[in-house]
């Protein structure tokens, strides 16, 4: 019975991950709220790894949806014309920019992963970052601007580096990786669809690396996966993949006609809710739901 309940909780976590990973509203903020209700039977060490690894399902959705834009190789024409002739160079250059943008977060994430979890994964930090970036979205969308970059192929290395710097800020829980990089992209002159797609692609190496790091640390600490834990991970990843497919399509259609202002107001409201729950539990001693 407990296994069935854990699998149902994994489904709900997968839904939350699939929606909030791509919409700029912070998956961490929603996870904190979910944890008030969804109490797994697993220990905290596994849950710390689980919250990150289910992102693999979300990554797979990006790969499936944008495979043609991301695959750097040409079809074999039957002639031995050299390796370089089999490369789609615009895609290769895009991947080089993705790697450049991901390097700062990869290095700092490896060095600070445990410290960030220990010191910044809490309701107050998450609530503050939800509100701060919510205000940022509203202010950015209010200022008049004409995007200088509307296509992925037009993104410069300077823009990639700047967006990568904004991605580093997303290491603070509650910021939202997609939210930070979209804000960075907009400030660098990208259009909303261009900034959103570049954000999706940046997620592939960053989230794959973060997931791999969590699994390695989990196993290196002497932990071993049990069958219920494996089932929970698989279910969470599959659901995250399916929901991510819908969430990504929704966001790309949405930003073609709308601004990010609504997401800004939503973030502010969610930040207030998270802060309110923390205040109640801290000062009024209301137990977790």
């Amino acid at each position: 019975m407990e296994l069935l309940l854990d699998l149902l909780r994994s489904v709900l976590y997968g839904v939350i991950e699939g929606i909030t990973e791509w919409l700029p509203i912070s998956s961490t903020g929603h996870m904190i709220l979910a944890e008030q209700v969804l109490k797994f039977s697993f220990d905290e060490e596994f849950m710390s790894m689980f919250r990150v690894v289910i992102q693999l399902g979300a990554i797979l959705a990006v790969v499936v949806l944008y495979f043609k834009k991301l695959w750097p190789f040409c079809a074999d024409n039957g002639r031995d014309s050299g390796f370089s002739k089999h490369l789609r160079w615009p895609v290769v250059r895009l991947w080089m920019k993705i790697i450049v943008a991901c390097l700062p977060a990869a290095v700092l994430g490896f060095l600070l992963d445990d410290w960030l979890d220990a010191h910044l994964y809490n309701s107050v930090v998450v609530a503050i970052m939800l509100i701060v970036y919510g205000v940022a979205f509203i202010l950015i969308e209010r200022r008049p601007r004409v995007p200088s970059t509307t296509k992925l192929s037009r993104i410069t290395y300077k823009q990639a580096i700047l967006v990568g710097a904004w991605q580093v800020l997303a290491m603070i829980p509650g910021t939202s990786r997609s939210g930070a990089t979209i804000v960075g992209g907009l400030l660098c002159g990208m259009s909303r669809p261009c900034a959103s797609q570049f954000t999706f692609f940046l997620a592939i190496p960053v989230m794959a690396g973060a997931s791999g790091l969590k699994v390695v640390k989990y196993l290196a600490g002497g932990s071993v996966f049990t069958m219920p834990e494996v089932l929970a991970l698989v279910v969470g990843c599959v659901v995250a993949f399916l929901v991510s497919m819908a969430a990504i399509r929704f966001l790309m259609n949405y930003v073609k006609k709308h601004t990010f202002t609504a997401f800004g107001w939503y973030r502010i409201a969610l930040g207030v809710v998270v802060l309110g729950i923390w205040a109640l539990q801290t000062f009024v001693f209301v137990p977790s739901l």
Side-chain angles (χ1 to χ4, degrees), residues 35-113:
E35 287 167 2
Q36 302 296 316
V37 179
L38 305 175
K39 301 292 185 180
F40 281 84
S41 63
F42 309 125
D43 59 36
E44 179 53 34
E45 188 176 5
F46 172 80
M47 288 308 303
S48 177
M49 183 269 300
F50 173 85
R51 285 190 289 264
V52 176
V53 174
I54 60 170
Q55 295 174 346
L56 291 175
I59 297 171
L60 184 59
V62 176
V63 175
V64 171
L65 287 172
Y66 292 102
F67 183 80
K68 290 183 179 179
K69 286 190 176 184
L70 293 169
W71 185 247
F73 301 106
C74 302
D76 188 0
N77 57 15
R79 298 191 300 270
D80 185 12
S81 53
F83 179 72
S84 64
K85 298 294 183 181
H86 293 278
L87 293 176
R88 297 167 60 200
W89 284 103
V91 180
V92 172
R93 285 190 286 270
L94 174 62
W95 271 109
M96 292 173 66
K97 293 167 188 174
I98 291 171
I99 292 171
V100 166
C102 289
L103 283 176
V107 173
L108 291 176
F110 177 79
L111 295 174
L112 301 177
D113 179 59

Side-chain angles (χ1 to χ4, degrees), residues 266-286:
Y266 178 86
R267 288 180 63 99
I268 293 171
L270 181 63
V272 171
V273 170
V274 172
L275 204 57
I277 292 175
W278 169 81
L280 286 173
Q281 293 178 344
T282 303
F283 301 110
V284 188
F285 306 106
V286 175

Side-chain angles (χ1 to χ4, degrees), residues 4-288:
L4 178 60
L5 290 175
D6 280 335
L7 293 181
L8 289 174
R9 294 176 187 117
S10 294
V11 170
L12 293 175
Y13 264 80
V15 171
I16 293 170
E17 168 63 25
I19 294 174
T20 61
E21 187 60 52
W22 307 114
L23 304 187
I25 53 179
S26 173
S27 58
T28 305
H30 289 80
M31 289 292 184
I32 283 181
L33 289 178
E35 287 167 2
Q36 302 296 316
V37 179
L38 305 175
K39 301 292 185 180
F40 281 84
S41 63
F42 309 125
D43 59 36
E44 179 53 34
E45 188 176 5
F46 172 80
M47 288 308 303
S48 177
M49 183 269 300
F50 173 85
R51 285 190 289 264
V52 176
V53 174
I54 60 170
Q55 295 174 346
L56 291 175
I59 297 171
L60 184 59
V62 176
V63 175
V64 171
L65 287 172
Y66 292 102
F67 183 80
K68 290 183 179 179
K69 286 190 176 184
L70 293 169
W71 185 247
F73 301 106
C74 302
D76 188 0
N77 57 15
R79 298 191 300 270
D80 185 12
S81 53
F83 179 72
S84 64
K85 298 294 183 181
H86 293 278
L87 293 176
R88 297 167 60 200
W89 284 103
V91 180
V92 172
R93 285 190 286 270
L94 174 62
W95 271 109
M96 292 173 66
K97 293 167 188 174
I98 291 171
I99 292 171
V100 166
C102 289
L103 283 176
V107 173
L108 291 176
F110 177 79
L111 295 174
L112 301 177
D113 179 59
D114 292 334
W115 186 90
L116 290 169
D117 279 350
H119 294 86
L120 297 184
Y121 189 83
N122 59 72
S123 298
V124 176
V125 172
V126 169
I128 291 172
M129 299 313 296
L130 280 166
I131 294 170
V132 167
Y133 276 84
V135 172
F137 269 120
I138 293 170
L139 294 179
I140 289 172
E141 290 291 15
R142 283 185 176 177
R143 69 172 192 164
R145 69 186 191 91
V146 177
S148 59
T149 306
T150 58
K151 296 181 179 180
L152 290 170
S153 59
R154 299 290 185 181
I155 294 175
T156 65
Y157 281 98
K158 179 180 178 180
Q159 288 174 315
I161 292 171
L162 290 173
V163 172
W166 279 90
Q167 186 166 240
V168 170
L169 298 177
M171 293 168 60
I172 303 174
T175 299
S176 169
R177 192 202 59 80
S178 61
T181 50
I182 287 173
V183 166
L186 295 177
L187 291 175
C188 290
M190 297 182 194
S191 65
R192 297 182 191 96
C194 183
S196 298
Q197 281 194 14
F198 194 56
T199 288
F200 297 157
F201 299 164
L202 291 184
I204 297 173
V206 169
M207 291 163 59
S211 298
L213 181 62
K214 283 291 187 183
V215 171
V216 169
K217 286 185 175 182
Y218 182 74
L219 297 176
S223 300
V224 179
F225 287 110
T226 64
M227 184 54 66
E229 290 173 344
V230 171
L231 289 174
L233 271 175
V234 170
V235 169
C237 286
V238 170
V239 174
F241 166 75
L242 295 174
V243 176
S244 290
M245 296 281 284
I248 291 170
R249 288 192 179 107
F250 164 79
L251 183 62
M252 291 309 302
N253 289 328
Y254 181 88
V255 297
K256 290 176 183 177
K257 300 178 181 178
H258 304 85
T259 70
F260 285 104
T261 300
F263 294 113
W265 286 114
Y266 178 86
R267 288 180 63 99
I268 293 171
L270 181 63
V272 171
V273 170
V274 172
L275 204 57
I277 292 175
W278 169 81
L280 286 173
Q281 293 178 344
T282 303
F283 301 110
V284 188
F285 306 106
V286 175
S288 299

